[in-house]
Amino acid sequence: MNSKFPEKIPIFPLQGVIFFPETNLPLNIFENRYLEMVENSLNSNNLVGMIQSREINKEIFQVGCLGKIVRHNRTSDGRILIDLMGLTRFKIHEEIESKKLYREFKVNYDDFKEDLNPSNYKIDKDLIKKLINNSKKFFEKNNMIINWYELSKLRPFQQVYTLAMISPISITEKQKLLEIVDLSEIANTLNKIVEIGSYQNLNERNSIQ
């Protein structure tokens, strides 16, 4: 267990959303249980765990990403707008019983030790180029406009993570990417998904998973 991060964390489950280290995730918090979660986090360590909820039974997956609230803004209608900065992925160990409105879990970070030094991840430039080119075709097919110039300013690992986060792919595909440790394998897997996706729609891909 990495002592840098807490063993017990609050969890915000959100379907179709994944999150990686050193990426930014803006969130609009409006449900009472998650408003309570954010308030408690702001009064302690500013940490929140993001994880996907499953499509069928609304339960959660086992791997998510811990984030730190780096900015927040309270709106006049009672919402809280927050920006989360990704720290490290985690794996759920067990749920903790409590009287809080939101859920808390014991988690373990051991499978993702390299998340603490993402700049050390090496990735082949040709692979990045292939991923970008195939992603452009895939996003165009899905009528999504991306600022590719701004994306190119990011470090290679951030480019891969950002594309994984924003790509219009299935919940299962997103979770598969999140659970892969090696950056090159994430890039390879995502490249295959978007390359195939350039010729198929999302429903067709879901039907063969």
Side-chain angles (χ1 to χ4, degrees):
M1 174 69 65
N2 191 312
S3 60
K4 183 177 180 179
F5 302 113
E7 181 183 13
K8 181 181 78 171
I9 61 173
I11 292 290
F12 184 17
L14 198 57
Q15 195 173 99
V17 175
I18 57 172
F19 181 44
F20 285 91
E22 293 201 33
T23 62
N24 183 70
L25 181 64
L27 293 169
N28 176 15
I29 309 298
F30 56 89
E31 288 187 56
N32 285 338
R33 53 184 167 171
Y34 299 124
L35 287 169
E36 178 185 290
M37 178 193 71
V38 169
E39 292 286 7
N40 288 344
S41 177
L42 289 171
N43 289 325
S44 57
N45 54 18
N46 286 30
L47 300 179
V48 172
M50 292 296 303
I51 204 161
Q52 280 206 109
S53 56
R54 293 181 181 273
E55 202 164 11
I56 299 174
N57 56 15
K58 304 303 180 183
E59 275 304 304
I60 59 175
F61 285 92
Q62 293 300 297
V63 173
C65 187
L66 183 68
K68 183 171 184 176
I69 301 174
V70 292
R71 279 178 293 277
H72 72 280
N73 180 42
R74 302 175 193 276
T75 67
S76 59
D77 58 1
R79 293 174 294 124
I80 305 178
L81 308 179
I82 66 173
D83 280 345
L84 281 183
M85 177 57 66
L87 299 175
T88 181
R89 285 170 286 177
F90 60 80
K91 188 172 185 179
I92 281 179
H93 178 57
E94 63 181 1
E95 186 163 5
I96 298 168
E97 290 187 18
S98 79
K99 295 182 180 179
K100 295 173 182 174
L101 295 178
Y102 55 91
R103 299 168 73 182
E104 293 180 301
F105 290 81
K106 283 187 177 180
V107 299
N108 188 288
Y109 309 94
D110 291 347
D111 290 347
F112 303 101
K113 293 177 181 177
E114 293 303 312
D115 281 359
L116 300 181
N117 298 292
S119 297
N120 293 338
Y121 285 138
K122 305 300 179 186
I123 184 167
D124 186 78
K125 290 182 180 179
D126 288 338
L127 176 55
I128 287 280
K129 187 175 180 180
K130 286 180 184 177
L131 175 58
I132 296 294
N133 288 337
N134 284 323
S135 293
K136 286 180 178 178
K137 297 174 187 176
F138 182 58
F139 278 60
E140 183 178 352
K141 178 182 173 65
N142 286 276
N143 299 313
M144 291 181 65
I145 299 174
I146 304 299
N147 190 326
W148 297 103
Y149 175 70
E150 288 299 321
L151 185 79
S152 70
K153 293 180 181 180
L154 301 177
R155 287 176 286 179
F157 76 88
Q158 290 175 314
Q159 292 183 44
V160 175
Y161 287 166
T162 299
L163 287 172
M165 290 168 63
I166 65 176
S167 289
I169 58 180
S170 72
I171 291 170
T172 304
E173 288 167 330
K174 282 181 178 289
Q175 190 63 30
K176 181 178 181 180
L177 295 171
L178 184 67
E179 295 182 7
I180 297 172
V181 176
D182 181 72
L183 180 66
S184 291
E185 189 179 347
I186 294 174
N188 262 316
T189 303
L190 180 57
N191 183 55
K192 291 175 183 176
I193 292 171
V194 298
E195 187 173 22
I196 293 172
S198 297
Y199 304 98
Q200 294 178 325
N201 61 40
L202 185 58
N203 289 332
E204 288 173 332
R205 297 204 310 280
N206 283 337
S207 69
I208 62 175
Q209 286 182 29

